[in-house]
Amino acid sequence: DGGITQSPKYLFRKEGQNVTLSCEQNLNHDAMYWYRQDPGQGLRLIYYSQIVNDFQKGDIAEGYSVSREKKESFPLTVTSAQKNPTAFYLCASSLSWGDEQFFGPGTRLTVL
Amino acid sequence: KQEVTQIPAALSVPEGENLVLNCSFTDSAIYNLQWFRQDPGKGLTSLLLIQSSQREQTSGRLNASLDKSSGRSTLYIAASQPGDSATYLCAVLGSLFIDMRFGAGTRLTVKP
């Protein structure tokens, strides 16, 4: 089955810790995206990558970091510098930037 | 800066009713607009994508229209069913390819 997987589904973090969220796709898509969703708000773009070994900041990149060493993988690290990291994180991919986006099931991060 | 608004925030209708969901955007210079469905605690499912040169797209009981000049898109759902209950979001990609904006969504409840 082709699709996007995210792990873990739930993640708990203590203050001051860095955590990494996994996103993998087997759709052979060039573009990948990370979004954050807070209750009652639309999705906000954190980082995006149009091609392997390249990525760009979105609207709310502060306190986050990414890498794109492989076409199928786009992990997101939430650093201790992120002031309010508790949220639902969604990864997406598309054939290329601007094409129809397909989403993973999401990771819910809670800071204890 | 592009702003995307979805009104109402919530809508409840009886089963079998035809309904329209609204999406408004402030900058008409868009590349495309995409409609998604989100079930509680899940990722987004792509429904329809309309390119800026198109006026509408159809998939089954769904029809999405785009009027760039008025900054509006509508999602028409025919013969609604309880299984259509979900939050519906629209997303706009700006024509310069650097501006991706989501609305906060309309939560639809279809009562049996």
Side-chain angles (χ1 to χ4, degrees):
Chain A
D1 280 338
I4 303 174
T5 58
Q6 292 186 240
S7 62
K9 185 173 182 178
Y10 299 98
L11 186 57
F12 298 90
R13 190 195 92 172
K14 294 181 179 179
E15 286 193 15
Q17 285 183 335
N18 293 351
V19 290
T20 297
L21 283 60
S22 169
C23 177
E24 305 275 334
Q25 54 96 2
N26 61 4
L27 301 168
N28 202 32
H29 285 172
D30 280 323
M32 297 187 75
Y33 315 77
W34 273 106
Y35 294 95
R36 169 181 172 139
Q37 187 177 34
D38 294 284
Q41 298 188 34
L43 279 67
R44 290 182 290 169
L45 185 62
I46 304 172
Y47 268 98
Y48 64 95
S49 169
Q50 297 188 51
I51 199 164
V52 67
N53 290 322
D54 181 69
F55 51 83
Q56 306 292 331
K57 292 181 179 180
D59 295 323
I60 55 166
E62 185 176 351
Y64 300 97
S65 66
V66 295
S67 63
R68 186 85 188 275
E69 298 176 359
K70 298 186 295 183
K71 186 175 186 177
E72 59 270 22
S73 179
F74 191 41
L76 173 74
T77 297
V78 184
T79 75
S80 57
Q82 169 51 234
K83 300 301 181 189
N84 185 20
T86 294
F88 190 48
Y89 290 87
L90 290 157
C91 177
S93 72
S94 62
L95 192 60
S96 62
W97 173 257
D99 288 335
E100 184 179 13
Q101 291 187 52
F102 297 89
F103 279 76
T107 293
R108 187 166 299 280
L109 173 64
T110 302
V111 174
L112 304 173
Chain B
K1 181 180 174 182
Q2 178 77 276
E3 293 184 6
V4 180
T5 304
Q6 292 185 251
I7 296 174
L11 180 64
S12 181
V13 300
E15 182 177 4
E17 190 163 300
N18 302 328
L19 60 101
V20 173
L21 304 179
N22 298 299
C23 174
S24 299
F25 47 93
T26 55
D27 186 347
S28 61
I30 69 170
Y31 181 74
N32 62 35
L33 184 146
Q34 193 169 356
W35 281 94
F36 297 90
R37 167 191 174 133
Q38 185 176 31
D39 293 292
K42 306 290 187 182
L44 277 65
T45 300
S46 177
L47 297 174
L48 290 163
L49 180 136
I50 310 178
Q51 302 293 347
S52 63
S53 59
Q54 298 175 316
R55 296 282 293 181
E56 65 179 287
Q57 282 279 15
T58 299
S59 176
R61 293 183 294 110
L62 306 179
N63 176 279
S65 68
L66 174 64
D67 183 345
K68 285 195 305 179
S69 61
S70 66
R72 285 192 65 203
S73 176
T74 60
L75 179 67
Y76 174 83
I77 303 177
S80 59
Q81 304 169 359
D84 294 330
S85 297
T87 296
Y88 291 80
L89 299 100
C90 64
V92 175
L93 177 63
S95 59
L96 296 180
F97 270 46
I98 58 175
D99 197 18
M100 178 87 69
R101 293 282 182 264
F102 279 76
T106 294
R107 189 174 70 252
L108 173 65
T109 303
V110 181
K111 297 180 177 179

